[in-house]
Amino acid sequence: MSGDHAHNDSQIESGSRVNDSHKHKDKHKDKEYRHKDHKKEKEREKSKYSNSEHKDLLEKKHRDKEKVRQKDGADRHKDKEKRKEEKMRSFDGKPKKEKENGFARSLLSSLSKCCHVVCFRGVLRPVPRVKSEPDNDGFYHSPKHERSLKRERDDDDSEFMPKKIKIENDKKVKKRKPEEEEDIKPKKKRKDKKGDVADGKKKAKKEPEEKWKWWEEERATDGSKWRFLEHKGPVFAPPYEPLSSKVKFYYDGKPFKLSEKAEEVATFFAKMLDHEYTTKDIFRKNFFKDWRKEMTSEEKGKLTDLNKCDFSELNEYFKAQSEARKQMSKEEKLKIKEENERLLQEYGFCLMDNHKERIANFRIEPPGLFRGRGDHPKMGMLKRRIRPEDIIINCSKDSKHPKPPPGTKWKEVRHDNKVTWLVSWTENIQGSIKYIMLNPSSRIKGEKDWQKYETARRLKKCVGRIRAQYREDWKSKEMRIRQRSVALYFIDKLALRAGNEKEEGETADTVGCCSLRVEHIKLSPEKDGQEFVVEFDFLGKDSIRYYNKVPVEKRVFKNLQLFMENKQPEDDLFDRLNTSILNKHLQELMDGLTAKVFRTYNASITLQQQLKELTTPEENIPAKILSYNRANRAVAILCNHQRAPPKTFEKSMQNLQTKIDAKKDQLFDAKRELKSAKADAKVRRDEKSKKAVEAKKKAVQRIEEQLMKLEVQATDREENKQIALGTSKLNYLDPRISVTWCKKWSVPIEKIYNKTQREKFAWAIDMADDDYEF
DNA sequence: CGCCTGACTTAGTATTTAATGA
DNA sequence: TCATTAAATACTAAGTCAGGCG
């Protein structure tokens, strides 16, 4: 409980997503500075290729990708140059950061009520850090030689795994190791394939069957992800259904009949009318531009001003429709449900290596208007409808290939077992590829997940050494090394993301560690009674604000001053560093180490420590769960996982309070009754009255328990107002820690993980004992 | 070697479903 | 039994990172 817990307060207190900073950055203004600038040159070169329309792009088929990219790229660069020019002229460009959705508000109060949450950092990082972690990993194994082709093998965690697990693990190691066995395996697999297929059929009929424990089987070592893959392809978005002519769109006050294509796009906008998106300039501009591309030339001529477009009737129509859907009779609802179920059964599963596996997203994303997060330059653009001709299918050669809808064909069918996706297509907003992949409960995802935690556990063994080294590097005479070491310190201490550079004008302006700019930190030699305080304030992933005041070591502070010398606010803080340099360095420190492993490691180790610290043996189960949630919360705060407070938050708190009050009254009454029963028993001294007393006692107890439960719930909810636990639970916390905790304290696992989560973490639930240690 | 891109993980929010209570 | 509210799930954007290519 020392030191910097106050900063966590502030971090949360002010967290918010900033949407409309009209900030203007031109980070590459003064060239000389850095070596990140050749980009520029390239861009300029490329922009020569620039050309006009990019409508036809969408239509084009082959070698399309190249082309799209190039054209887009060209446009992009033009834009960029233009902006730059603008910038030169008007020099205001100061960042305007504002809290938009009033994220935090009363957080401080609620959080400070609970010191556990805010104090975790002291616990997490005792000052003499170097010593605080085990450090028994040979640093100097030559990466070149020792690194096997297959990395991430948990060679020797056996010493970390007591008894039973150790056995399991040995098995695991043995199984996974031998490459020679590779020849044998396929045969073996192939053999039981038939049997298994039959099995699969059975399974489909009568659900039960014991679950497949893939974690007890060996993994492929040749980089292949599967041997057999069969699926039914994607489910396409339903075709557009034109509006009835009764529902009218108006232009300039007069009804206007839109062509089908234009109407469809109009409905996208109409459906969002209540959303504040539609009031934003960029959104409107992008929408209108793309909408016009869908119009007939006649429409184009007439509809020239979005402000004269009246979508309100369409909007009301859709609202009424969704209302009607809610009011549907039970039978109708059931019918829809059954239809969905049928679709799920048909398309929601695939057959991968003899096992029926659930697909995560078997539906193709329907067309609509792009909703970027934060201040996204492309918000409002039309996300076009995906057709079979856009789709690449991936499956086994010898499988039954999915059929394209009648009269259409796939763009391509390939058989690449080095990847895990079943279907892919190129999306038109960023030109990136989208995939259909398997559910987190699948073997292919589970293995990877498990592996991720094993890598983090390997980091645990050598983190001491790595920390010692980066501290040493703060003194390096080489700038790049100093920058690298300070960045790594932030990544480790603050769980920052790596921070890849992003293309300006393509996405919202967000940063991570390596891409921090001078304007994102403020140095104070002394602040609030602490020395060498760094104040972070930037937008991270999803434009979630990261705000934190952290005291750092003097050397770090001095280095930061050095890095900031002679720089403009919009210049990179770490001008000699990027994620690829950093990760290459990390790779040398430990096989499989990358920046994000630190997040996983610090998250999991924090959970483990917090659980140890917060759990009180004699507490009842609800209180234990509160402790768990608090430990989880500590991690969420560390990782800056925020959420918008639920719209009905205040009300639901009130409701809960009402319940609590009612329960208190009830308790009061029950106690009074108990008293009188006791008095009664004293007088009467018969069995019956004694029993009555007992009964009353029980009632009081029960009510007390209920009250307690409610109060705990209230605390939990209040503390959780704008903190999202889900992300860390799902992605950062080694599930075995939670499972072990549950076993140790006899908390039913269902209290911690819901059904989906239990499916995802089946491997952990099965293999973790009550003495697992991360 | 830097850049680009493909593949995959991580992320918050919108929508749907289930649970609760009037 | 219906309406609310909470929890679960669906959705898809936005990151990370490695490998290939010019």
Side-chain angles (χ1 to χ4, degrees):
Chain A
M1 305 259 146
S2 73
D4 39 1
H5 64 268
H7 307 293
N8 293 308
D9 273 351
S10 54
Q11 181 180 336
I12 290 304
E13 165 66 13
S14 52
S16 83
R17 175 176 296 164
V18 179
N19 281 322
D20 43 6
S21 66
H22 293 299
K23 158 198 256 181
H24 214 49
K25 58 162 196 173
D26 54 352
K27 69 199 260 190
H28 298 297
K29 210 170 53 195
D30 43 8
K31 303 268 174 68
E32 308 65 323
Y33 219 108
R34 75 207 89 228
H35 66 141
K36 286 185 185 175
D37 279 322
H38 350 246
K39 254 193 250 164
K40 269 277 195 49
E41 246 70 79
K42 287 236 167 126
E43 281 161 11
R44 237 170 251 128
E45 286 232 15
K46 269 198 245 157
S47 64
K48 285 179 205 153
Y49 299 111
S50 127
N51 74 50
S52 55
E53 287 298 304
H54 77 290
K55 164 188 162 188
D56 47 355
L57 294 179
L58 306 181
E59 267 52 79
K60 283 285 146 46
K61 281 289 185 51
H62 208 43
R63 58 188 183 181
D64 50 355
K65 224 192 301 170
E66 301 291 346
K67 231 167 157 191
V68 172
R69 285 280 143 117
Q70 225 172 39
K71 280 191 187 177
D72 270 348
D75 276 348
R76 193 186 298 153
H77 299 308
K78 270 197 293 193
D79 282 349
K80 205 162 169 182
E81 298 294 355
K82 209 167 78 195
R83 268 200 311 281
K84 213 180 299 163
E85 277 166 37
E86 279 164 15
K87 185 58 183 288
M88 297 301 205
R89 272 182 260 119
S90 71
F91 211 76
D92 82 311
K94 265 291 91 191
K96 265 280 98 59
K97 295 231 170 90
E98 261 170 67
K99 232 187 256 187
E100 206 203 29
N101 50 7
F103 217 136
R105 268 356 140 208
S106 68
L107 233 264
L108 182 58
S109 62
S110 61
L111 270 186
S112 50
K113 267 186 236 150
C114 161
C115 65
H116 304 296
V117 173
V118 295
C119 294
F120 73 94
R121 217 166 281 237
V123 177
L124 173 59
R125 303 190 176 88
V127 184
R129 265 185 119 168
V130 190
K131 286 188 199 150
S132 70
E133 300 291 347
D135 178 6
N136 46 13
D137 194 45
F139 178 10
Y140 292 107
H141 60 254
S142 147
K144 281 267 167 54
H145 296 283
E146 273 206 23
R147 200 179 304 154
S148 59
L149 290 175
K150 223 42 292 187
R151 57 167 74 119
E152 82 258 324
R153 202 158 296 139
D154 35 317
D155 332 295
D156 60 342
D157 42 355
S158 39
E159 66 177 85
F160 263 86
M161 304 189 107
K163 294 185 203 146
K164 270 193 191 155
I165 298 177
K166 185 163 155 188
I167 294 162
E168 279 246 358
N169 232 53
D170 287 345
K171 244 192 294 178
K172 199 168 67 197
V173 170
K174 205 167 52 199
K175 273 182 199 158
R176 286 197 233 146
K177 248 183 189 149
E179 319 243 12
E180 326 89 63
E181 267 180 35
E182 250 318 83
D183 305 328
I184 305 164
K185 256 188 279 166
K187 268 185 248 156
K188 203 173 85 194
K189 278 273 154 151
R190 205 137 297 172
K191 238 183 255 165
D192 46 45
K193 179 170 167 180
K194 279 155 211 153
D196 247 328
V197 169
D199 245 22
K201 292 260 163 71
K202 240 188 279 162
K203 225 178 266 176
K205 270 184 219 154
K206 46 166 194 171
E207 197 54 28
E209 206 83 15
E210 70 299 355
K211 295 274 190 295
W212 175 34
K213 297 190 178 179
W214 51 257
W215 49 93
E216 291 179 350
E217 293 181 22
E218 63 273 38
R219 280 195 261 174
T221 48
D222 58 356
S224 68
K225 305 291 171 62
W226 45 264
R227 275 181 232 85
F228 180 82
L229 171 61
E230 181 171 280
H231 59 93
K232 304 273 291 218
V235 172
F236 288 92
Y240 178 66
E241 287 184 30
L243 293 169
S244 113
S245 55
K246 282 177 217 148
V247 187
K248 290 193 171 68
F249 162 78
Y250 297 87
Y251 186 73
D252 210 5
K254 293 183 279 290
F256 190 105
K257 174 72 186 160
L258 292 164
S259 67
E260 181 168 327
K261 276 179 120 186
E263 183 187 274
E264 179 179 9
V265 179
T267 64
F268 298 153
F269 192 84
K271 282 177 185 165
M272 298 176 73
L273 228 47
D274 295 323
H275 205 291
E276 70 155 329
Y277 268 118
T278 56
T279 64
K280 297 193 176 186
D281 265 4
I282 311 175
F283 189 94
R284 295 173 69 87
K285 199 184 113 252
N286 286 332
F287 160 71
F288 198 55
K289 188 170 156 213
D290 281 2
W291 187 26
R292 286 177 59 81
K293 288 183 205 156
E294 301 299 310
M295 291 177 184
T296 62
S297 49
E298 194 200 342
E299 287 166 333
K300 259 189 219 169
K302 288 186 176 157
L303 311 178
T304 54
D305 182 359
L306 180 56
N307 294 316
K308 291 182 181 168
C309 295
D310 178 359
F311 302 91
S312 57
E313 212 167 278
L314 308 198
N315 179 256
E316 276 153 34
Y317 168 75
F318 290 120
K319 266 194 235 163
Q321 220 180 28
S322 75
E323 197 52 39
R325 216 168 327 124
K326 266 189 240 156
Q327 301 301 326
M328 273 184 318
S329 71
K330 256 199 210 128
E331 299 77 53
E332 287 172 302
K333 278 185 181 165
L334 191 67
K335 218 171 152 195
I336 292 177
K337 206 174 159 187
E338 275 167 2
E339 171 62 13
N340 276 334
E341 182 59 26
R342 194 187 63 75
L343 223 54
L344 173 70
Q345 288 306 326
E346 179 165 7
Y347 294 95
F349 296 85
C350 73
L351 194 58
M352 182 178 275
D353 294 342
N354 313 328
H355 295 274
K356 190 177 168 190
E357 301 256 41
R358 179 88 190 267
I359 298 170
N361 55 325
F362 56 92
R363 286 168 210 271
I364 299 277
E365 297 174 18
L369 303 183
F370 176 76
R371 308 148 84 120
R373 313 222 234 238
D375 212 351
H376 198 116
K378 300 197 167 186
M379 63 168 78
M381 284 176 65
L382 175 63
K383 200 166 91 163
R384 69 166 221 285
R385 181 179 290 274
I386 304 300
R387 306 151 305 163
E389 291 78 11
D390 303 311
I391 296 288
I392 302 175
I393 298 286
N394 192 33
C395 63
S396 290
K397 223 175 254 171
D398 60 341
S399 73
K400 231 170 88 194
H401 297 191
K403 283 197 296 287
T408 66
K409 34 185 196 205
W410 305 123
K411 176 177 179 179
E412 185 191 334
V413 177
R414 66 171 74 154
H415 312 289
D416 181 357
N417 78 347
K418 300 280 187 277
V419 299
T420 67
W421 53 268
L422 320 185
V423 172
S424 78
W425 71 93
T426 300
E427 152 266 3
N428 69 304
I429 304 287
Q430 325 266 0
S432 64
I433 307 172
K434 301 255 185 167
Y435 303 94
I436 290 182
M437 291 185 187
L438 297 193
N439 204 57
S441 62
S442 62
R443 183 216 99 218
I444 216 161
K445 295 291 183 189
E447 273 182 359
K448 203 76 186 299
D449 206 37
W450 176 19
Q451 194 180 281
K452 171 181 78 188
Y453 292 111
E454 291 308 320
T455 307
R457 293 174 79 205
R458 281 192 291 121
L459 173 58
K460 177 182 174 177
K461 293 184 203 163
C462 63
V463 73
R465 187 197 82 221
I466 289 172
R467 285 170 178 165
Q469 163 147 34
Y470 69 59
R471 299 168 64 89
E472 205 48 42
D473 287 346
W474 294 341
K475 299 180 258 180
S476 169
K477 48 191 184 312
E478 276 188 87
M479 185 56 129
R480 55 177 196 96
I481 292 183
R482 285 201 188 202
Q483 292 195 354
R484 196 179 69 192
S485 62
V486 170
L488 186 50
Y489 169 73
F490 285 162
I491 285 172
D492 183 20
K493 182 181 172 75
L494 305 174
L496 300 189
R497 296 188 184 83
N500 285 307
E501 52 261 75
K502 307 167 73 191
E503 262 188 296
E504 219 175 321
E506 289 295 280
T507 58
D509 175 22
T510 63
V511 298
C513 187
C514 294
S515 50
L516 280 170
R517 301 192 294 267
V518 169
E519 61 194 333
H520 294 133
I521 65 169
K522 227 161 78 189
L523 304 182
S524 317
E526 200 265 298
K527 184 156 189 159
D528 309 329
Q530 289 173 309
E531 282 190 313
F532 308 122
V533 175
V534 184
E535 190 177 348
F536 292 83
D537 190 352
F538 61 89
L539 300 183
K541 183 176 180 181
D542 294 306
S543 291
I544 295 292
R545 184 177 181 195
Y546 183 92
Y547 181 82
N548 201 359
K549 274 184 277 191
V550 216
V552 300
E553 306 199 27
K554 184 170 177 183
R555 257 205 189 96
V556 171
F557 194 84
K558 293 289 170 196
N559 270 318
L560 288 170
Q561 286 178 323
L562 177 68
F563 303 160
M564 291 164 78
E565 258 171 38
N566 299 320
K567 283 194 199 168
Q568 301 297 309
E570 59 280 7
D571 289 333
D572 287 322
L573 177 64
F574 302 115
D575 53 287
R576 304 297 179 86
L577 182 70
N578 61 37
T579 53
S580 133
I581 296 172
L582 180 67
N583 280 334
K584 260 178 209 134
H585 174 238
L586 292 176
Q587 193 60 234
E588 283 166 13
L589 297 183
M590 186 193 99
D591 191 17
L593 186 61
T594 64
K596 85 187 183 89
V597 178
F598 281 90
R599 251 166 103 78
T600 312
Y601 161 71
N602 278 313
S604 287
I605 202 79
T606 301
L607 178 76
Q608 191 169 78
Q609 286 176 186
Q610 287 291 294
L611 283 177
K612 205 178 267 175
E613 184 162 313
L614 298 177
T615 313
T616 321
E618 53 276 8
E619 277 177 338
N620 60 11
I621 293 204
K624 288 228 172 69
I625 292 169
L626 175 62
S627 300
Y628 179 90
N629 285 341
R630 283 179 164 165
N632 191 166
R633 200 137 49 228
V635 175
I637 290 171
L638 174 68
C639 294
N640 201 39
H641 291 142
Q642 301 187 23
R643 61 167 185 173
K647 283 185 192 68
T648 55
F649 186 83
E650 292 307 330
K651 195 162 65 166
S652 89
M653 273 324 272
Q654 252 168 33
N655 288 347
L656 203 50
Q657 194 55 52
T658 321
K659 266 199 216 166
I660 289 174
D661 293 343
K663 196 53 81 179
K664 277 182 181 162
D665 291 347
Q666 200 188 336
L667 181 62
F668 183 80
D669 292 345
K671 277 185 175 165
R672 210 179 39 200
E673 278 177 42
L674 173 61
K675 223 179 213 169
S676 71
K678 269 183 183 164
D680 194 42
K682 220 171 191 174
V683 179
R684 295 220 227 153
R685 299 179 169 281
D686 62 350
E687 272 308 301
K688 202 177 159 196
S689 58
K690 252 190 213 164
K691 269 198 181 139
V693 170
E694 282 311 305
K696 295 290 177 199
K697 248 188 203 162
K698 279 233 172 85
V700 168
Q701 248 172 29
R702 204 187 55 230
I703 294 168
E704 269 174 342
E705 225 163 74
Q706 289 169 338
L707 175 62
M708 157 94 166
K709 208 169 157 183
L710 285 172
E711 280 175 333
V712 160
Q713 199 186 351
T715 317
D716 206 15
R717 192 179 296 177
E718 181 68 39
E719 286 174 9
N720 231 24
K721 183 171 181 183
Q722 55 188 149
I723 298 170
L725 301 187
T727 304
S728 46
K729 203 185 232 180
L730 245 40
N731 300 300
Y732 289 103
L733 301 176
D734 183 340
R736 290 166 294 185
I737 299 170
S738 301
V739 173
T740 295
W741 180 85
C742 283
K743 289 200 171 145
K744 180 166 178 194
W745 302 110
S746 310
V747 176
I749 193 80
E750 296 79 25
K751 302 279 182 189
I752 300 299
Y753 291 134
N754 67 29
K755 182 163 142 289
T756 317
Q757 294 163 338
R758 290 197 301 276
E759 280 166 14
K760 168 168 180 174
F761 296 134
W763 58 275
I765 294 170
D766 184 60
M767 69 169 77
D769 253 314
D770 59 1
D771 51 2
Y772 171 81
E773 194 178 343
F774 174 75

